[in-house]
Amino acid sequence: MADEKQFSRRDFLKTTGVATGGIIGGSLLGGLIGFNLDGKSSDSSKDSSDQGGGDSHGGHDGNGDGGMFNVPDKGRVFFENDADFATIEAAMERIFPETDVGPGAKGLGAAYFLDGQLAGAYGFNSKEYMQGPFHEGLPTQGYQSHLNRAEYFRLGVKKLQEEAKSRHDESFSQLDEKKQDEILKDFQEGKVDFGVPKSTATSSYFFTMLRSATLEGAYCDPIYHGNRNMEGWKMKQFPGHQHSYLDVIESDEFMDIEPLPNFG
């Protein structure tokens, strides 16, 4: 009977990395990607090249120059409207701009990270209590809106566009940096009316979520579609998911280690 099982316990242990010292840094997910339950490896590189087209980013082969977990630029799942995506991308770039040190939010693909998050459990608050009553919460109480995050971000993007149109008769993404900053500052200070009860949705909390998503997209594991080519990690000199530090752990000098993604 055991011989008839195509995916044995031994195969599972080998695939997830448990047999070589435990699940470290997401190796459970990493082992199962590219491995079908019938025990045959899938051609992930072929699949990724057929999805969405466009330039690829994200580099999961450990050397930052691409790999089978690259993310196509046109592979959006939430922001289907190009104008909306350009708006959120421009806003994120002002929060995390490109400098001499390295790329900004746009170059790091932070908007693609947010796009994927809003299409999933984060966007729909799937694991959170979302029933009333709704009251204005304290800063320590976290999310209090009757809108889920997907709705909140759609509303926020709409308001960014409306403010840009009403003030300058241009789309937000086409404004110069100074004008974009002025609008974002008003969002941060809660001066933009969202047109919903103030106790449940404000422009200031939208800005707070946008800023958090920008930083998360800049420094996440590249499998989540941000931190392209691990450039965010490189700027921080973060080594990523190294398998071991045994060869350098006794050194008294700072070690500049090339970062590795989850599946490096």
Side-chain angles (χ1 to χ4, degrees), residues 160-199:
L160 282 171
Q161 286 282 46
E162 288 180 354
E163 290 297 310
K165 287 288 185 181
S166 64
R167 299 185 192 191
H168 308 290
D169 197 28
E170 287 188 274
S171 63
F172 183 85
S173 62
Q174 297 301 313
L175 297 177
D176 61 46
E177 295 176 355
K178 182 178 179 181
K179 292 176 180 177
Q180 289 176 343
D181 288 350
E182 289 174 353
I183 293 175
L184 287 172
K185 184 177 180 180
D186 285 348
F187 270 72
Q188 183 180 18
E189 295 177 353
K191 295 180 179 180
V192 179
D193 184 10
F194 264 36
V196 293
K198 185 179 179 181
S199 62

mmCIF file of all heavy atoms in Angstrom, residues 160-199:
data_model
loop_
_atom_site.group_PDB
_atom_site.id
_atom_site.type_symbol
_atom_site.label_atom_id
_atom_site.label_comp_id
_atom_site.label_asym_id
_atom_site.label_seq_id
_atom_site.Cartn_x
_atom_site.Cartn_y
_atom_site.Cartn_z
ATOM 1 N N LEU A 160 -6.542 60.807 -4.690
ATOM 2 C CA LEU A 160 -5.287 61.366 -5.196
ATOM 3 C C LEU A 160 -5.490 61.960 -6.582
ATOM 4 O O LEU A 160 -5.008 63.065 -6.893
ATOM 5 C CB LEU A 160 -4.204 60.283 -5.242
ATOM 6 C CG LEU A 160 -3.518 59.899 -3.937
ATOM 7 C CD1 LEU A 160 -2.636 58.672 -4.128
ATOM 8 C CD2 LEU A 160 -2.677 61.064 -3.392
ATOM 9 N N GLN A 161 -6.220 61.238 -7.415
ATOM 10 C CA GLN A 161 -6.492 61.721 -8.763
ATOM 11 C C GLN A 161 -7.380 62.963 -8.735
ATOM 12 O O GLN A 161 -7.159 63.924 -9.470
ATOM 13 C CB GLN A 161 -7.157 60.610 -9.598
ATOM 14 C CG GLN A 161 -6.209 59.511 -10.032
ATOM 15 C CD GLN A 161 -5.347 59.953 -11.216
ATOM 16 O OE1 GLN A 161 -4.792 61.054 -11.239
ATOM 17 N NE2 GLN A 161 -5.232 59.088 -12.212
ATOM 18 N N GLU A 162 -8.404 62.931 -7.899
ATOM 19 C CA GLU A 162 -9.318 64.069 -7.815
ATOM 20 C C GLU A 162 -8.597 65.329 -7.337
ATOM 21 O O GLU A 162 -8.829 66.428 -7.864
ATOM 22 C CB GLU A 162 -10.480 63.743 -6.878
ATOM 23 C CG GLU A 162 -11.470 62.732 -7.457
ATOM 24 C CD GLU A 162 -12.601 62.430 -6.487
ATOM 25 O OE1 GLU A 162 -12.558 62.919 -5.338
ATOM 26 O OE2 GLU A 162 -13.521 61.696 -6.890
ATOM 27 N N GLU A 163 -7.720 65.171 -6.341
ATOM 28 C CA GLU A 163 -6.984 66.326 -5.838
ATOM 29 C C GLU A 163 -6.057 66.889 -6.906
ATOM 30 O O GLU A 163 -5.920 68.110 -7.057
ATOM 31 C CB GLU A 163 -6.170 65.927 -4.602
ATOM 32 C CG GLU A 163 -7.003 65.638 -3.368
ATOM 33 C CD GLU A 163 -7.764 66.859 -2.896
ATOM 34 O OE1 GLU A 163 -7.142 67.942 -2.752
ATOM 35 O OE2 GLU A 163 -8.987 66.740 -2.670
ATOM 36 N N ALA A 164 -5.406 66.011 -7.653
ATOM 37 C CA ALA A 164 -4.513 66.464 -8.719
ATOM 38 C C ALA A 164 -5.281 67.194 -9.817
ATOM 39 O O ALA A 164 -4.840 68.235 -10.327
ATOM 40 C CB ALA A 164 -3.756 65.269 -9.304
ATOM 41 N N LYS A 165 -6.439 66.668 -10.175
ATOM 42 C CA LYS A 165 -7.257 67.284 -11.223
ATOM 43 C C LYS A 165 -7.802 68.634 -10.790
ATOM 44 O O LYS A 165 -7.788 69.611 -11.548
ATOM 45 C CB LYS A 165 -8.401 66.346 -11.602
ATOM 46 C CG LYS A 165 -7.999 65.126 -12.409
ATOM 47 C CD LYS A 165 -7.623 65.516 -13.836
ATOM 48 C CE LYS A 165 -7.350 64.266 -14.673
ATOM 49 N NZ LYS A 165 -6.951 64.628 -16.057
ATOM 50 N N SER A 166 -8.324 68.689 -9.560
ATOM 51 C CA SER A 166 -8.944 69.925 -9.092
ATOM 52 C C SER A 166 -7.917 71.025 -8.838
ATOM 53 O O SER A 166 -8.192 72.210 -9.062
ATOM 54 C CB SER A 166 -9.747 69.661 -7.813
ATOM 55 O OG SER A 166 -8.889 69.256 -6.752
ATOM 56 N N ARG A 167 -6.710 70.661 -8.408
ATOM 57 C CA ARG A 167 -5.687 71.675 -8.096
ATOM 58 C C ARG A 167 -4.868 72.081 -9.306
ATOM 59 O O ARG A 167 -4.498 73.248 -9.450
ATOM 60 C CB ARG A 167 -4.741 71.146 -7.008
ATOM 61 C CG ARG A 167 -5.396 70.822 -5.683
ATOM 62 C CD ARG A 167 -4.344 70.432 -4.654
ATOM 63 N NE ARG A 167 -4.934 69.848 -3.453
ATOM 64 C CZ ARG A 167 -4.270 69.624 -2.323
ATOM 65 N NH1 ARG A 167 -2.977 69.933 -2.255
ATOM 66 N NH2 ARG A 167 -4.862 69.084 -1.277
ATOM 67 N N HIS A 168 -4.575 71.130 -10.178
ATOM 68 C CA HIS A 168 -3.624 71.398 -11.264
ATOM 69 C C HIS A 168 -4.121 70.944 -12.638
ATOM 70 O O HIS A 168 -3.395 71.093 -13.625
ATOM 71 C CB HIS A 168 -2.286 70.718 -10.968
ATOM 72 C CG HIS A 168 -1.740 71.040 -9.608
ATOM 73 N ND1 HIS A 168 -1.254 72.293 -9.272
ATOM 74 C CD2 HIS A 168 -1.623 70.274 -8.474
ATOM 75 C CE1 HIS A 168 -0.845 72.283 -8.011
ATOM 76 N NE2 HIS A 168 -1.047 71.075 -7.508
ATOM 77 N N ASP A 169 -5.303 70.367 -12.698
ATOM 78 C CA ASP A 169 -5.883 69.896 -13.957
ATOM 79 C C ASP A 169 -4.968 68.898 -14.678
ATOM 80 O O ASP A 169 -4.848 68.887 -15.896
ATOM 81 C CB ASP A 169 -6.200 71.072 -14.881
ATOM 82 C CG ASP A 169 -7.169 70.674 -16.009
ATOM 83 O OD1 ASP A 169 -7.971 69.749 -15.789
ATOM 84 O OD2 ASP A 169 -7.096 71.279 -17.093
ATOM 85 N N GLU A 170 -4.314 68.070 -13.910
ATOM 86 C CA GLU A 170 -3.464 67.014 -14.448
ATOM 87 C C GLU A 170 -3.632 65.764 -13.592
ATOM 88 O O GLU A 170 -4.105 65.836 -12.450
ATOM 89 C CB GLU A 170 -1.990 67.432 -14.431
ATOM 90 C CG GLU A 170 -1.598 68.456 -15.458
ATOM 91 C CD GLU A 170 -0.088 68.656 -15.489
ATOM 92 O OE1 GLU A 170 0.412 69.481 -14.695
ATOM 93 O OE2 GLU A 170 0.585 67.985 -16.288
ATOM 94 N N SER A 171 -3.250 64.630 -14.142
ATOM 95 C CA SER A 171 -3.273 63.399 -13.355
ATOM 96 C C SER A 171 -2.131 63.431 -12.356
ATOM 97 O O SER A 171 -1.101 64.092 -12.575
ATOM 98 C CB SER A 171 -3.148 62.175 -14.256
ATOM 99 O OG SER A 171 -1.907 62.177 -14.937
ATOM 100 N N PHE A 172 -2.287 62.725 -11.252
ATOM 101 C CA PHE A 172 -1.286 62.760 -10.187
ATOM 102 C C PHE A 172 0.086 62.321 -10.682
ATOM 103 O O PHE A 172 1.105 62.923 -10.331
ATOM 104 C CB PHE A 172 -1.729 61.875 -9.020
ATOM 105 C CG PHE A 172 -0.793 61.906 -7.847
ATOM 106 C CD1 PHE A 172 -0.888 62.889 -6.877
ATOM 107 C CD2 PHE A 172 0.211 60.951 -7.717
ATOM 108 C CE1 PHE A 172 -0.014 62.944 -5.805
ATOM 109 C CE2 PHE A 172 1.093 60.985 -6.644
ATOM 110 C CZ PHE A 172 0.987 61.986 -5.689
ATOM 111 N N SER A 173 0.124 61.298 -11.496
ATOM 112 C CA SER A 173 1.407 60.764 -11.951
ATOM 113 C C SER A 173 2.152 61.713 -12.876
ATOM 114 O O SER A 173 3.361 61.574 -13.075
ATOM 115 C CB SER A 173 1.199 59.410 -12.651
ATOM 116 O OG SER A 173 0.383 59.565 -13.806
ATOM 117 N N GLN A 174 1.445 62.707 -13.457
ATOM 118 C CA GLN A 174 2.070 63.649 -14.377
ATOM 119 C C GLN A 174 2.535 64.933 -13.688
ATOM 120 O O GLN A 174 3.204 65.765 -14.301
ATOM 121 C CB GLN A 174 1.091 64.007 -15.500
ATOM 122 C CG GLN A 174 0.694 62.828 -16.372
ATOM 123 C CD GLN A 174 1.885 62.167 -17.033
ATOM 124 O OE1 GLN A 174 2.748 62.841 -17.605
ATOM 125 N NE2 GLN A 174 1.947 60.835 -16.970
ATOM 126 N N LEU A 175 2.182 65.105 -12.419
ATOM 127 C CA LEU A 175 2.591 66.298 -11.697
ATOM 128 C C LEU A 175 4.084 66.270 -11.381
ATOM 129 O O LEU A 175 4.696 65.193 -11.293
ATOM 130 C CB LEU A 175 1.812 66.411 -10.384
ATOM 131 C CG LEU A 175 0.293 66.588 -10.470
ATOM 132 C CD1 LEU A 175 -0.298 66.613 -9.073
ATOM 133 C CD2 LEU A 175 -0.068 67.865 -11.228
ATOM 134 N N ASP A 176 4.679 67.439 -11.189
ATOM 135 C CA ASP A 176 6.072 67.457 -10.758
ATOM 136 C C ASP A 176 6.146 67.051 -9.287
ATOM 137 O O ASP A 176 5.135 67.004 -8.579
ATOM 138 C CB ASP A 176 6.718 68.827 -10.995
ATOM 139 C CG ASP A 176 6.050 69.966 -10.230
ATOM 140 O OD1 ASP A 176 5.773 69.799 -9.027
ATOM 141 O OD2 ASP A 176 5.795 71.023 -10.836
ATOM 142 N N GLU A 177 7.339 66.764 -8.837
ATOM 143 C CA GLU A 177 7.524 66.202 -7.494
ATOM 144 C C GLU A 177 7.020 67.135 -6.399
ATOM 145 O O GLU A 177 6.435 66.674 -5.405
ATOM 146 C CB GLU A 177 9.008 65.880 -7.279
ATOM 147 C CG GLU A 177 9.518 64.782 -8.197
ATOM 148 C CD GLU A 177 11.004 64.544 -8.050
ATOM 149 O OE1 GLU A 177 11.655 65.321 -7.281
ATOM 150 O OE2 GLU A 177 11.529 63.611 -8.674
ATOM 151 N N LYS A 178 7.216 68.426 -6.556
ATOM 152 C CA LYS A 178 6.797 69.379 -5.536
ATOM 153 C C LYS A 178 5.276 69.349 -5.361
ATOM 154 O O LYS A 178 4.770 69.342 -4.223
ATOM 155 C CB LYS A 178 7.261 70.787 -5.896
ATOM 156 C CG LYS A 178 6.904 71.828 -4.854
ATOM 157 C CD LYS A 178 7.422 73.204 -5.234
ATOM 158 C CE LYS A 178 7.039 74.245 -4.188
ATOM 159 N NZ LYS A 178 7.531 75.617 -4.558
ATOM 160 N N LYS A 179 4.547 69.316 -6.457
ATOM 161 C CA LYS A 179 3.090 69.294 -6.387
ATOM 162 C C LYS A 179 2.583 67.969 -5.815
ATOM 163 O O LYS A 179 1.617 67.939 -5.054
ATOM 164 C CB LYS A 179 2.493 69.531 -7.775
ATOM 165 C CG LYS A 179 2.735 70.946 -8.301
ATOM 166 C CD LYS A 179 2.211 71.112 -9.716
ATOM 167 C CE LYS A 179 2.466 72.529 -10.238
ATOM 168 N NZ LYS A 179 2.028 72.698 -11.640
ATOM 169 N N GLN A 180 3.236 66.883 -6.189
ATOM 170 C CA GLN A 180 2.869 65.587 -5.619
ATOM 171 C C GLN A 180 3.084 65.580 -4.116
ATOM 172 O O GLN A 180 2.245 65.082 -3.355
ATOM 173 C CB GLN A 180 3.701 64.472 -6.277
ATOM 174 C CG GLN A 180 3.324 64.179 -7.711
ATOM 175 C CD GLN A 180 4.233 63.134 -8.339
ATOM 176 O OE1 GLN A 180 5.319 62.852 -7.836
ATOM 177 N NE2 GLN A 180 3.793 62.560 -9.449
ATOM 178 N N ASP A 181 4.202 66.148 -3.673
ATOM 179 C CA ASP A 181 4.498 66.195 -2.242
ATOM 180 C C ASP A 181 3.474 67.030 -1.478
ATOM 181 O O ASP A 181 3.089 66.682 -0.352
ATOM 182 C CB ASP A 181 5.895 66.772 -2.009
ATOM 183 C CG ASP A 181 7.002 65.811 -2.420
ATOM 184 O OD1 ASP A 181 6.688 64.633 -2.696
ATOM 185 O OD2 ASP A 181 8.171 66.243 -2.481
ATOM 186 N N GLU A 182 3.019 68.112 -2.076
ATOM 187 C CA GLU A 182 2.023 68.965 -1.424
ATOM 188 C C GLU A 182 0.722 68.204 -1.193
ATOM 189 O O GLU A 182 0.100 68.304 -0.120
ATOM 190 C CB GLU A 182 1.768 70.208 -2.272
ATOM 191 C CG GLU A 182 2.924 71.193 -2.284
ATOM 192 C CD GLU A 182 2.698 72.345 -3.258
ATOM 193 O OE1 GLU A 182 1.695 72.281 -4.018
ATOM 194 O OE2 GLU A 182 3.510 73.290 -3.263
ATOM 195 N N ILE A 183 0.315 67.444 -2.196
ATOM 196 C CA ILE A 183 -0.913 66.662 -2.062
ATOM 197 C C ILE A 183 -0.739 65.557 -1.019
ATOM 198 O O ILE A 183 -1.601 65.359 -0.153
ATOM 199 C CB ILE A 183 -1.325 66.061 -3.426
ATOM 200 C CG1 ILE A 183 -1.733 67.181 -4.383
ATOM 201 C CG2 ILE A 183 -2.460 65.058 -3.261
ATOM 202 C CD1 ILE A 183 -2.048 66.713 -5.794
ATOM 203 N N LEU A 184 0.371 64.863 -1.079
ATOM 204 C CA LEU A 184 0.619 63.781 -0.130
ATOM 205 C C LEU A 184 0.719 64.301 1.300
ATOM 206 O O LEU A 184 0.271 63.636 2.247
ATOM 207 C CB LEU A 184 1.893 63.024 -0.506
ATOM 208 C CG LEU A 184 1.792 62.119 -1.742
ATOM 209 C CD1 LEU A 184 3.166 61.588 -2.127
ATOM 210 C CD2 LEU A 184 0.828 60.965 -1.496
ATOM 211 N N LYS A 185 1.286 65.479 1.466
ATOM 212 C CA LYS A 185 1.377 66.056 2.803
ATOM 213 C C LYS A 185 -0.014 66.347 3.358
ATOM 214 O O LYS A 185 -0.291 66.117 4.542
ATOM 215 C CB LYS A 185 2.200 67.346 2.767
ATOM 216 C CG LYS A 185 2.433 67.956 4.144
ATOM 217 C CD LYS A 185 3.323 69.189 4.076
ATOM 218 C CE LYS A 185 3.529 69.781 5.468
ATOM 219 N NZ LYS A 185 4.395 71.004 5.425
ATOM 220 N N ASP A 186 -0.925 66.828 2.507
ATOM 221 C CA ASP A 186 -2.301 67.068 2.953
ATOM 222 C C ASP A 186 -2.997 65.762 3.309
ATOM 223 O O ASP A 186 -3.806 65.714 4.237
ATOM 224 C CB ASP A 186 -3.086 67.808 1.869
ATOM 225 C CG ASP A 186 -2.714 69.281 1.789
ATOM 226 O OD1 ASP A 186 -2.034 69.774 2.716
ATOM 227 O OD2 ASP A 186 -3.084 69.937 0.795
ATOM 228 N N PHE A 187 -2.683 64.690 2.578
ATOM 229 C CA PHE A 187 -3.210 63.378 2.938
ATOM 230 C C PHE A 187 -2.683 62.967 4.312
ATOM 231 O O PHE A 187 -3.435 62.504 5.162
ATOM 232 C CB PHE A 187 -2.805 62.331 1.892
ATOM 233 C CG PHE A 187 -3.787 62.173 0.777
ATOM 234 C CD1 PHE A 187 -3.932 63.147 -0.204
ATOM 235 C CD2 PHE A 187 -4.592 61.047 0.692
ATOM 236 C CE1 PHE A 187 -4.832 62.999 -1.233
ATOM 237 C CE2 PHE A 187 -5.506 60.884 -0.336
ATOM 238 C CZ PHE A 187 -5.625 61.870 -1.300
ATOM 239 N N GLN A 188 -1.386 63.131 4.508
ATOM 240 C CA GLN A 188 -0.764 62.740 5.770
ATOM 241 C C GLN A 188 -1.376 63.484 6.948
ATOM 242 O O GLN A 188 -1.555 62.921 8.032
ATOM 243 C CB GLN A 188 0.738 62.996 5.712
ATOM 244 C CG GLN A 188 1.491 62.551 6.958
ATOM 245 C CD GLN A 188 2.978 62.835 6.858
ATOM 246 O OE1 GLN A 188 3.410 63.644 6.036
ATOM 247 N NE2 GLN A 188 3.767 62.166 7.674
ATOM 248 N N GLU A 189 -1.714 64.748 6.751
ATOM 249 C CA GLU A 189 -2.250 65.572 7.830
ATOM 250 C C GLU A 189 -3.776 65.478 7.938
ATOM 251 O O GLU A 189 -4.379 66.183 8.750
ATOM 252 C CB GLU A 189 -1.821 67.027 7.610
ATOM 253 C CG GLU A 189 -0.311 67.213 7.718
ATOM 254 C CD GLU A 189 0.133 68.638 7.422
ATOM 255 O OE1 GLU A 189 -0.735 69.455 7.008
ATOM 256 O OE2 GLU A 189 1.331 68.933 7.587
ATOM 257 N N GLY A 190 -4.396 64.615 7.130
ATOM 258 C CA GLY A 190 -5.830 64.398 7.240
ATOM 259 C C GLY A 190 -6.684 65.527 6.698
ATOM 260 O O GLY A 190 -7.842 65.673 7.084
ATOM 261 N N LYS A 191 -6.144 66.309 5.776
ATOM 262 C CA LYS A 191 -6.862 67.470 5.253
ATOM 263 C C LYS A 191 -7.745 67.153 4.048
ATOM 264 O O LYS A 191 -8.493 68.011 3.583
ATOM 265 C CB LYS A 191 -5.865 68.564 4.870
ATOM 266 C CG LYS A 191 -5.090 69.134 6.051
ATOM 267 C CD LYS A 191 -4.114 70.207 5.598
ATOM 268 C CE LYS A 191 -3.346 70.797 6.775
ATOM 269 N NZ LYS A 191 -2.377 71.852 6.340
ATOM 270 N N VAL A 192 -7.662 65.944 3.539
ATOM 271 C CA VAL A 192 -8.452 65.567 2.359
ATOM 272 C C VAL A 192 -9.687 64.807 2.814
ATOM 273 O O VAL A 192 -9.590 63.806 3.530
ATOM 274 C CB VAL A 192 -7.620 64.704 1.383
ATOM 275 C CG1 VAL A 192 -8.464 64.289 0.181
ATOM 276 C CG2 VAL A 192 -6.380 65.475 0.932
ATOM 277 N N ASP A 193 -10.846 65.277 2.399
ATOM 278 C CA ASP A 193 -12.111 64.654 2.786
ATOM 279 C C ASP A 193 -12.365 63.417 1.932
ATOM 280 O O ASP A 193 -12.445 63.498 0.708
ATOM 281 C CB ASP A 193 -13.250 65.663 2.611
ATOM 282 C CG ASP A 193 -14.590 65.106 3.081
ATOM 283 O OD1 ASP A 193 -14.599 64.027 3.709
ATOM 284 O OD2 ASP A 193 -15.614 65.766 2.820
ATOM 285 N N PHE A 194 -12.491 62.282 2.590
ATOM 286 C CA PHE A 194 -12.737 61.035 1.876
ATOM 287 C C PHE A 194 -14.216 60.817 1.566
ATOM 288 O O PHE A 194 -14.578 59.871 0.876
ATOM 289 C CB PHE A 194 -12.186 59.848 2.687
ATOM 290 C CG PHE A 194 -10.810 59.423 2.263
ATOM 291 C CD1 PHE A 194 -9.868 60.358 1.861
ATOM 292 C CD2 PHE A 194 -10.444 58.089 2.271
ATOM 293 C CE1 PHE A 194 -8.605 59.980 1.466
ATOM 294 C CE2 PHE A 194 -9.177 57.689 1.874
ATOM 295 C CZ PHE A 194 -8.256 58.638 1.471
ATOM 296 N N GLY A 195 -15.074 61.662 2.113
ATOM 297 C CA GLY A 195 -16.491 61.553 1.813
ATOM 298 C C GLY A 195 -17.191 60.401 2.501
ATOM 299 O O GLY A 195 -18.287 60.009 2.098
ATOM 300 N N VAL A 196 -16.565 59.846 3.530
ATOM 301 C CA VAL A 196 -17.173 58.777 4.323
ATOM 302 C C VAL A 196 -17.047 59.177 5.786
ATOM 303 O O VAL A 196 -16.285 60.094 6.116
ATOM 304 C CB VAL A 196 -16.479 57.415 4.078
ATOM 305 C CG1 VAL A 196 -16.713 56.938 2.661
ATOM 306 C CG2 VAL A 196 -14.990 57.507 4.356
ATOM 307 N N PRO A 197 -17.785 58.532 6.676
ATOM 308 C CA PRO A 197 -17.695 58.918 8.087
ATOM 309 C C PRO A 197 -16.255 58.991 8.574
ATOM 310 O O PRO A 197 -15.465 58.061 8.365
ATOM 311 C CB PRO A 197 -18.473 57.805 8.805
ATOM 312 C CG PRO A 197 -19.461 57.354 7.798
ATOM 313 C CD PRO A 197 -18.753 57.448 6.466
ATOM 314 N N LYS A 198 -15.900 60.117 9.195
ATOM 315 C CA LYS A 198 -14.518 60.341 9.620
ATOM 316 C C LYS A 198 -14.030 59.272 10.589
ATOM 317 O O LYS A 198 -12.835 58.996 10.685
ATOM 318 C CB LYS A 198 -14.393 61.727 10.260
ATOM 319 C CG LYS A 198 -12.964 62.101 10.634
ATOM 320 C CD LYS A 198 -12.888 63.481 11.233
ATOM 321 C CE LYS A 198 -11.452 63.812 11.617
ATOM 322 N NZ LYS A 198 -11.343 65.147 12.233
ATOM 323 N N SER A 199 -14.965 58.654 11.306
ATOM 324 C CA SER A 199 -14.556 57.670 12.304
ATOM 325 C C SER A 199 -14.039 56.379 11.681
ATOM 326 O O SER A 199 -13.434 55.567 12.354
ATOM 327 C CB SER A 199 -15.737 57.342 13.223
ATOM 328 O OG SER A 199 -16.789 56.774 12.469
#
